[in-house]
Amino acid sequence: MAGPGLAGRFQRRFLAARQLRSFPWPELEQNLQASPDSSLLVDILHKHESTAAEPLDELYDTLADILNEEESTHCYKTYLLPRGECVTLSENVAIISGGTTGLVTWDAALHLAEWAMDTSEVFTNRTVLELGSGIGFTGIAICKTCNPKTYIFSDYHPCVLKQLTENIHLNGFVLEPEATQRTPTESQGQEAEAANYQNPKLIVAELDWGSVTGKQLLDLQPDVIIAADVVYDPEIILALVGMLQKLSTFRADRKVPEVYIASTIRNPDTYHLFQAELDKVGIRWQIIPAHSNSIFLCDMQPNVTILQLFIQT
């Protein structure tokens, strides 16, 4: 999307061109304030071209600028998996975009996926809940290599959920219709690709850890819970630990799920706070030994760790 400064730039250019009396300037300027993107500018150009006025070069120049900015905000990345499959993702080029860090793939997600593929028996024929799925790399990799029965992707930011859903479709999977607000429109080719796997049931859930309800947790019923790069803010840590406690309560068979949390330790104080909060509520933890099977080209640093948590009933 275009930045806020572009709206002002458009306005100045439009005000300078008010000699085109046939243009609905007040309406266009109002729309521009609310939606300063290329689609509106294309609409303005169509209106402009329908008049007998001389072409306004600045409008075309601005459209070219905006299209270039919009194109540069996203890229496609493809990650090759061990058996020849691949995961292709639409990612943002900016680390922070739309007020969230969830639109890029982080090292801990790659690390967790590598560990999952080494220990696929943890996920095979089981219901897996991923917390903070982001744009979906870890979950899509697990669905393609570890044969889960059900995989529940979850996040809370609308932009993240939208891009996550698009990436799931991009990789040939079909979501459960009732689990997403958007009706899937996969092509026959995508359906055939999905059939090559053992067709896990895929769900995308909007899940806010701070306000999650008992009914939501009863509906989830995971056997395994995983998360990557979710331990980076004290407030988020408190909400995460609180929800993990609730998950042990709201389970029909009273069987607690296995929990694995991958983290890049950027701030040791924050990471130690997470461990302290786990200790405080009686959730035991242990560090999973580092694996040596590096599959993905990433900056795999020694400060990426996986904790296994032991939730009490």
Side-chain angles (χ1 to χ4, degrees):
M1 292 289 290
L6 291 171
R9 197 167 80 214
F10 292 161
Q11 266 196 309
R12 290 193 296 274
R13 292 182 178 185
F14 292 157
L15 288 170
R18 278 189 181 275
Q19 66 270 22
L20 301 175
R21 299 298 180 183
S22 60
F23 252 57
W25 288 109
E27 177 189 348
L28 290 175
E29 288 176 19
Q30 183 178 3
N31 291 342
L32 182 62
Q33 291 276 359
S35 179
D37 60 14
S38 62
S39 60
L40 177 61
L41 189 51
V42 169
D43 184 55
I44 293 171
L45 282 167
H46 286 162
K47 292 181 186 295
H48 178 39
E49 289 167 353
S50 69
T51 71
E54 289 294 320
L56 191 59
D57 290 340
E58 286 188 328
L59 288 177
Y60 293 94
D61 291 341
T62 302
L63 176 60
D65 292 343
I66 296 304
L67 289 174
N68 182 63
E69 288 195 25
E70 288 183 343
E71 185 177 356
S72 66
T73 61
H74 286 80
C75 65
Y76 285 91
K77 291 185 179 180
T78 297
Y79 302 84
L80 186 63
L81 303 178
R83 296 188 306 209
E85 310 99 325
C86 64
V87 175
T88 299
L89 301 178
S90 170
E91 300 193 10
N92 276 40
V93 296
I95 293 176
I96 300 176
S97 179
T100 178
T101 59
L103 296 171
V104 297
T105 299
W106 295 88
D107 277 1
L110 302 174
H111 189 92
L112 182 58
E114 289 181 340
W115 174 81
M117 286 182 274
D118 274 351
T119 56
S120 60
E121 66 277 4
V122 172
F123 305 94
T124 300
N125 201 33
R126 305 183 82 186
T127 296
V128 182
L129 167 63
E130 183 181 5
L131 304 175
S133 296
I135 56 174
F137 172 78
T138 302
I140 293 170
I142 288 174
C143 288
K144 288 193 173 188
T145 60
C146 299
N147 300 319
K149 178 175 67 176
T150 301
Y151 198 96
I152 306 167
F153 298 84
S154 73
D155 217 295
Y156 77 97
H157 194 286
C159 292
V160 175
L161 290 168
K162 180 177 182 294
Q163 198 157 325
L164 168 62
T165 301
E166 291 173 354
N167 281 333
I168 292 169
H169 293 161
L170 181 64
N171 284 274
F173 288 107
V174 179
L175 285 167
E176 291 294 301
E178 71 275 12
T180 178
Q181 295 181 356
R182 198 179 73 160
T183 303
T185 56
E186 280 67 39
S187 67
Q188 293 297 320
Q190 287 175 318
E191 290 175 357
E193 183 182 349
N196 291 332
Y197 308 107
Q198 293 189 7
N199 294 323
K201 178 180 177 181
L202 267 62
I203 296 170
V204 169
E206 181 180 350
L207 198 61
D208 186 336
W209 305 340
S211 60
V212 64
T213 66
K215 182 183 183 307
Q216 283 179 295
L217 297 178
L218 279 171
D219 289 343
L220 296 174
Q221 298 293 303
D223 301 308
V224 181
I225 299 172
I226 63 170
D229 249 325
V230 295
V231 180
Y232 57 86
D233 179 88
E235 291 185 11
I236 293 176
I237 287 172
L238 294 175
L240 172 61
V241 172
M243 195 192 71
L244 290 173
Q245 283 184 288
K246 292 177 184 176
L247 275 165
S248 65
T249 303
F250 293 98
R251 186 167 178 94
D253 59 7
R254 303 296 293 171
K255 183 180 178 182
V256 296
E258 297 177 35
V259 184
Y260 303 92
I261 309 290
S263 303
T264 300
I265 306 174
R266 300 178 183 86
N267 184 334
D269 290 340
T270 303
Y271 186 69
H272 294 150
L273 173 64
F274 177 53
Q275 294 174 327
E277 290 297 326
L278 293 173
D279 292 338
K280 189 183 299 183
V281 298
I283 297 178
R284 295 186 299 108
W285 53 270
Q286 69 177 17
I287 297 176
I288 299 290
H291 65 278
S292 58
N293 185 19
S294 182
I295 300 168
F296 307 111
L297 294 175
C298 60
D299 185 15
M300 201 60 73
Q301 302 174 9
N303 60 346
V304 179
T305 63
I306 299 177
L307 288 184
Q308 181 178 5
L309 312 186
F310 301 92
I311 302 175
Q312 306 298 317
T313 55

